[in-house]
């Protein structure tokens, strides 16, 4: 039955183990930081030699599966605004389709791999710099896990969101959870831009959409998190469907990745209860920067036809993620033991 | 030139997405049950080492 590949997935056992392991790492990062992880998958697949449409399509299908699992959890906590989600879905759908069409068009021109990689370098580099700077300053970056436990009425609307709400009052106006009143066009515009990014890069877009919802629309953090995940379920499903029609979704990649990430997300999420995320955010920023460098090195290797550079790039992007995930696990275990055995003399 | 495309009904692709959705739900429920079942034992193992977990 197996005959060199695992069942109907048609994948070698070694590769299956690699994908489950990588999924576990990505899941830990996603569960702990509430973002990240998933946008390491597409560049890793690109560097492993998968065609751009398979790398992006499978990356998007993986994001879809991850979002389903996370939304089920947030639905149980009552943190999803379905009205906001519905409008976001409409704008994102159009954005994804424009992004996807761009990938297929660039692929016809033979430019897709290069341009997607450059976009990743800029994106990972930009976000990596931002998160690292915030971490060094001692500020945020990523989800404030403590914030999720506050009441919705306790949240202040950021100044930018207040300005947008007072300036752009094109009807129809909608009222969202937390008594936020905003033009449906603002929501649609934010959704279109993030959908464009999703369709072009195969990412969930949450790391752009969540700050956009908080600072652009003014919704409370927990609602932004829950609604974002709900929206990713739909955008991920539509994107995966469109890529799947073009043969871009490989179950041999998605199924093992999801198997590992679902477990990793539980571990990462549980770790947030015992570890201070601020201390590790600097590593997260460093990981994103390493990812940007890795994609750049891999692309140069591909351009000059040097497979060693491509391998170095791949090892760097996976290695950086593994190191951060291991740091989270190590810190969690140490924190747990310290909290239960404050003095070494009392230990068995 | 690649233009905008309206998704057309494709049973094979719908099945593909359905498989991923099904796997996600099964993993949510399955890992949740596993966490309830093995969680306390794993915590004991992490906090007190192998001996305390076997007790």
């Amino acid at each position: 039955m197996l005959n060199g590949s695992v069942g109907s997935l048609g994948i070698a056992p070694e590769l299956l183990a690699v994908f489950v392991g990588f999924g576990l790492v990505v899941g830990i990062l996603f569960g702990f930081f509430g973002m990240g992880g998933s946008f390491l998958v597409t560049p890793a697949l690109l560097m492993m030699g998968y065609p751009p449409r398979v790398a992006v399509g499978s990356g998007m299908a993986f994001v879809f599966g991850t979002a389903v699992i996370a939304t089920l959890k947030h639905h149980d906590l009552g943190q999803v605004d379905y009205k906001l989600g519905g409008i976001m879905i409409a704008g994102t759908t159009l954005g994804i389709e424009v992004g996807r069409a761009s990938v297929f068009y660039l692929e016809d021109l033979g430019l897709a791999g290069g341009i997607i990689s450059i976009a990743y370098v800029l994106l990972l580099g930009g976000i990596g710099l931002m998160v690292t700077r915030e971490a060094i300053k001692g500020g945020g970056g990523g989800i404030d896990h403590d914030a999720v436990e506050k009441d919705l009425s306790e949240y202040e609307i950021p100044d930018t969101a207040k300005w947008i709400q007072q300036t752009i009052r094109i009807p129809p106006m909608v009222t969202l959870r937390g008594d936020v009143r905003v033009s449906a066009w603002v929501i649609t515009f934010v959704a279109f831009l993030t959908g464009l990014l999703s369709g072009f890069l195969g990412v969930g877009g949450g790391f752009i959409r969540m700050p956009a919802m908080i600072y652009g629309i003014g919704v409370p953090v927990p609602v932004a998190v829950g609604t974002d995940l709900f929206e990713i379920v739909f955008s991920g499903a539509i994107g995966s469907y469109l890529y799947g029609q073009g043969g871009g979704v490989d179950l041999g990649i998605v199924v093992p990745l999801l198997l590992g990430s679902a477990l990793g997300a539980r571990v990462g999420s549980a770790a947030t209860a015992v570890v201070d995320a601020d201390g590790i955010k600097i590593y997260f920023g460093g990981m994103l920067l390493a990812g940007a460098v890795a994609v750049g090195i891999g692309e140069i290797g591909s351009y000059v036809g040097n497979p060693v550079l491509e391998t170095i790039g791949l090892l760097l992007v996976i290695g950086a993620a593994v190191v951060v995930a291991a740091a989270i696990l190590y810190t969690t275990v140490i924190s747990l033991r310290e909290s239960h055995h404050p003095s070494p003399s009392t230990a068995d | 030139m690649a233009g905008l495309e309206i998704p057309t009904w494709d049973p094979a692709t719908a099945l593909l997405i359905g498989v991923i959705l099904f796997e996600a739900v099964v993993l949510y429920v399955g890992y949740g049950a596993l966490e309830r079942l093995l969680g306390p034992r794993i915590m004991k193992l992490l906090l007190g080492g192998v001996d305390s977990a076997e007790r």
Side-chain angles (χ1 to χ4, degrees), chain A residues 95-159:
Chain A
I96 283 182
E97 178 53 15
V98 173
R100 187 202 64 85
S102 307
V103 170
F104 281 30
Y105 178 61
L106 289 171
E107 201 171 59
D108 287 344
L109 297 177
L111 298 171
I115 291 181
I116 290 171
S117 294
I118 289 168
Y120 263 110
V121 170
L122 296 175
L123 191 69
L124 291 176
I127 295 172
L129 280 173
M130 190 182 75
V131 173
T132 308
R133 199 189 62 184
E134 289 295 317
I136 290 170
K137 275 166 54 185
I143 291 178
D144 178 358
H145 291 281
D146 298 332
V148 175
E149 290 165 12
K150 276 200 287 184
D151 191 87
L152 290 182
S153 60
E154 293 176 37
Y155 288 87
E156 271 194 36
I157 298 173
D159 290 340

Side-chain angles (χ1 to χ4, degrees), chain A residues 68 70-90 174-178 187 213 219 222-224 226-234:
Chain A
V68 169
T71 303
L72 286 170
K73 185 179 168 189
H74 283 268
H75 172 80
D76 290 346
L77 296 171
Q79 294 170 346
V80 183
D81 188 319
Y82 292 100
K83 193 194 292 174
L84 174 64
I87 301 169
M88 292 288 289
I89 287 164
V174 290
T175 305
L176 307 171
R177 288 196 64 185
I187 302 171
M213 276 201 269
V219 295
V223 179
T227 307
D228 177 52
L229 288 164
F230 167 68
E231 202 270 335
I232 293 172
V233 169
F234 282 87

Side-chain angles (χ1 to χ4, degrees), chain A residues 127-332:
Chain A
I127 295 172
L129 280 173
M130 190 182 75
V131 173
T132 308
R133 199 189 62 184
E134 289 295 317
I136 290 170
K137 275 166 54 185
I143 291 178
D144 178 358
H145 291 281
D146 298 332
V148 175
E149 290 165 12
K150 276 200 287 184
D151 191 87
L152 290 182
S153 60
E154 293 176 37
Y155 288 87
E156 271 194 36
I157 298 173
D159 290 340
T160 49
K162 273 184 194 163
W163 182 83
I164 289 170
Q165 285 170 15
Q166 287 160 4
T167 311
I168 305 170
R169 302 188 62 83
I170 309 167
M173 300 292 286
V174 290
T175 305
L176 307 171
R177 288 196 64 185
D179 282 335
V180 176
R181 192 157 168 78
V182 64
S183 167
W185 292 105
V186 170
I187 302 171
T188 309
F189 182 68
V190 169
F192 175 79
L193 288 183
T194 51
L196 189 68
L197 202 70
S198 294
F200 191 69
L201 298 176
V203 296
F207 56 96
I208 299 287
R209 190 161 40 236
M210 260 194 307
M213 276 201 269
I214 295 163
Y215 293 102
I217 300 171
V219 295
V221 174
V223 179
V225 175
T227 307
D228 177 52
L229 288 164
F230 167 68
E231 202 270 335
I232 293 172
V233 169
F234 282 87
S235 61
I238 293 164
S240 304
Y241 186 84
L242 290 169
Y243 271 100
Q245 279 188 313
V249 176
D250 186 343
L251 278 185
I253 298 169
V254 181
V255 168
L257 274 177
L258 209 52
L259 193 68
S261 78
L263 179 62
R266 281 187 177 270
V267 174
S269 180
T272 60
V274 282
V275 177
D276 175 21
D278 288 340
I280 291 182
K281 270 174 191 161
I282 193 161
Y283 296 113
F284 183 65
M287 182 193 72
L288 296 180
L289 289 175
V293 172
V295 175
I297 289 174
E299 194 56 30
I300 291 168
S302 170
Y303 185 72
V304 300
N306 186 340
V308 177
L309 281 181
E310 289 182 74
T311 309
I312 289 173
L314 180 61
L315 290 176
L316 196 57
V317 73
I318 294 175
V322 169
V323 166
V324 177
I328 292 170
L329 292 181
Y330 178 77
T331 315
T332 302

